[in-house]
Amino acid sequence: MRAVIVAAAVAFIISLFGTPVAIRVFTALKAGQPIRAVGPATHQGKKGTPTMGGVAFIVATVLAYVAGHVALTTLPSQQIAQVQPTMTALVLLGLFVFCGAVGFLDDFLKVRKRHSGGLSAKGKLLGQLLVGGGLGVAALYVPSTNGQTVASEHISFIRDISLLDVGKVGSVIVFVFVIMSMSNGVNLTDGLDGLATGASILVLGAYALIGFWQYRHWCGDTNYTGDYCYQVRDPLEIALIAAAAAGACVGFLWWNTSPARIFMGDTGALGLGGLIGGLAMATRTTLLSIIIGGLFVIITMSVVIQIISFKTTGKRVFRMSPLQHHFELAGWSEVNIVVRFWIVAGICVAIGLGLFYSDFLRVMG
């Protein structure tokens, strides 16, 4: 527990005090966010706000991971396998950094062109595909000494569903799909000051709790004598990274909340989505992540519904998509939308955690 708390605290402090540095650097580089002309008129006042802020909390998370491992040196010798950097950490931090790198390229092109059109949609998807595919192979084909891999060959809900064995190749495809879906979901949620950051904090906090609970009831712990354990790889690493990312986002939110001094940009949004998708695969909660990340799913579906409706009937279901812009045009203030959407995200997280814990009680009962 000490390592998880240390990682979260270090990430928070680095992000809180590092983000103002990022603000000054990106302001000096004239890395201001271009605003789409077709968006809500109120957003034009945000033009020029520095973007690429995701760099701050990604760096903070990686540094906090190192600090957490320093704290792990106090663990008993029989748990030393958890002290060394693991394939789980490589996959999760790799998703965070490299999905963020795809977003950074998109942000860079927007700033350079002084236009809201950065990397093409195909280019962005190709980048996500390469990152997800490469790390998906690592997650499925590089086992630990006991044969456990980061991701599973089964489709999972709260744990692996034994009847849904899709094999290694199928699991890599599922891995890529989850990463691309979640990274684009967080990206679509971004757009109002603090919205995606706050929602991500709630989801990451949930995965920190899930990871730590799995660590306390872990099949790999030789000292655990309970009747039920979780077949996952490196759950303490999962909890540590999720907690570090949540702490880093809290520090970033101080500067990202309305009126935002800096935007996370696609750098942060794609990075966070990639990490959350990876956490879902590593904890064997792939389908449960649809509930835990319910706000991201709802907002993504609003875009899908809008596109299908317009292409098939020529009519729009919403005034504008994603969903948060519909409420903007309906007259809601930005702060009201953000806080109410946070409430929705919190409800989704609470339902997801409730289902996770109730499954444990059911099995133990």
Side-chain angles (χ1 to χ4, degrees), residues 176-220:
V176 172
F177 177 78
V178 170
I179 299 307
M180 294 179 71
S181 299
M182 196 62 74
S183 58
N184 285 301
V186 177
N187 196 25
L188 290 171
T189 303
D190 193 24
L192 299 184
D193 295 352
L195 176 56
T197 309
S200 296
I201 290 168
L202 294 169
V203 174
L204 290 166
Y207 273 112
L209 291 173
I210 288 172
F212 190 72
W213 185 261
Q214 290 179 334
Y215 172 66
R216 294 297 300 271
H217 305 85
W218 182 35
C219 298

Side-chain angles (χ1 to χ4, degrees), residues 316-329:
R316 292 180 171 85
V317 176
F318 307 103
R319 290 180 171 91
M320 182 179 290
S321 65
L323 188 61
Q324 60 268 32
H325 300 318
H326 166 82
F327 289 104
E328 278 191 287
L329 296 183

Side-chain angles (χ1 to χ4, degrees), residues 62-96:
V62 174
L63 294 177
Y65 171 78
V66 175
H69 268 251
V70 172
L72 279 174
T73 57
T74 60
L75 283 176
S77 58
Q78 64 267 27
Q79 296 177 344
I80 195 67
Q82 283 283 291
V83 178
Q84 305 302 321
T86 62
M87 179 57 66
T88 302
L90 175 64
V91 170
L92 294 179
L93 292 177
L95 288 168
F96 203 16

Side-chain angles (χ1 to χ4, degrees), residues 156-158 207 210 285-293 351-353 355-356:
S156 60
F157 179 48
I158 296 173
Y207 273 112
I210 288 172
T285 58
T286 306
L287 297 179
L288 185 65
S289 69
I290 296 172
I291 299 173
I292 293 176
I351 293 172
L353 289 176
L355 290 172
F356 178 83

Side-chain angles (χ1 to χ4, degrees), residues 220-241:
D221 184 355
T222 56
N223 293 322
Y224 180 65
T225 57
D227 296 328
Y228 177 74
C229 62
Y230 291 96
Q231 289 282 359
V232 296
R233 179 173 174 175
D234 312 316
L236 187 58
E237 289 277 74
I238 294 169
L240 191 154
I241 291 170

Side-chain angles (χ1 to χ4, degrees), residues 11-241:
F12 168 73
I13 291 170
I14 293 175
S15 183
L16 180 65
F17 293 102
T19 301
V21 176
I23 293 172
R24 290 194 292 271
V25 170
F26 290 133
T27 299
L29 293 175
K30 294 182 169 45
Q33 175 69 51
I35 304 297
R36 292 187 307 161
V38 297
T42 54
H43 286 206
Q44 295 304 315
K46 301 180 181 184
K47 186 176 182 179
T49 302
T51 187
M52 305 188 210
V55 170
F57 57 73
I58 291 174
V59 170
T61 300
V62 174
L63 294 177
Y65 171 78
V66 175
H69 268 251
V70 172
L72 279 174
T73 57
T74 60
L75 283 176
S77 58
Q78 64 267 27
Q79 296 177 344
I80 195 67
Q82 283 283 291
V83 178
Q84 305 302 321
T86 62
M87 179 57 66
T88 302
L90 175 64
V91 170
L92 294 179
L93 292 177
L95 288 168
F96 203 16
V97 171
F98 291 115
C99 284
V102 174
F104 183 86
L105 177 59
D106 184 48
D107 289 332
F108 175 78
L109 292 175
K110 289 176 183 176
V111 170
R112 185 176 182 182
K113 296 176 181 177
R114 297 288 187 264
H115 189 271
S116 59
L119 195 62
S120 69
K122 289 182 180 179
K124 196 182 297 186
L125 291 173
L126 177 60
Q128 294 170 320
L129 177 63
L130 292 174
V131 173
L135 292 173
V137 169
L140 269 301
Y141 285 87
V142 183
S144 62
T145 53
N146 65 359
Q148 191 75 52
T149 53
V150 177
S152 170
E153 294 182 33
H154 296 79
I155 302 295
S156 60
F157 179 48
I158 296 173
R159 47 203 170 98
D160 284 343
I161 302 172
S162 57
L163 295 177
L164 298 181
D165 185 344
V166 295
K168 288 187 182 295
V169 174
S171 292
V172 171
I173 294 172
V174 172
F175 188 97
V176 172
F177 177 78
V178 170
I179 299 307
M180 294 179 71
S181 299
M182 196 62 74
S183 58
N184 285 301
V186 177
N187 196 25
L188 290 171
T189 303
D190 193 24
L192 299 184
D193 295 352
L195 176 56
T197 309
S200 296
I201 290 168
L202 294 169
V203 174
L204 290 166
Y207 273 112
L209 291 173
I210 288 172
F212 190 72
W213 185 261
Q214 290 179 334
Y215 172 66
R216 294 297 300 271
H217 305 85
W218 182 35
C219 298
D221 184 355
T222 56
N223 293 322
Y224 180 65
T225 57
D227 296 328
Y228 177 74
C229 62
Y230 291 96
Q231 289 282 359
V232 296
R233 179 173 174 175
D234 312 316
L236 187 58
E237 289 277 74
I238 294 169
L240 191 154
I241 291 170

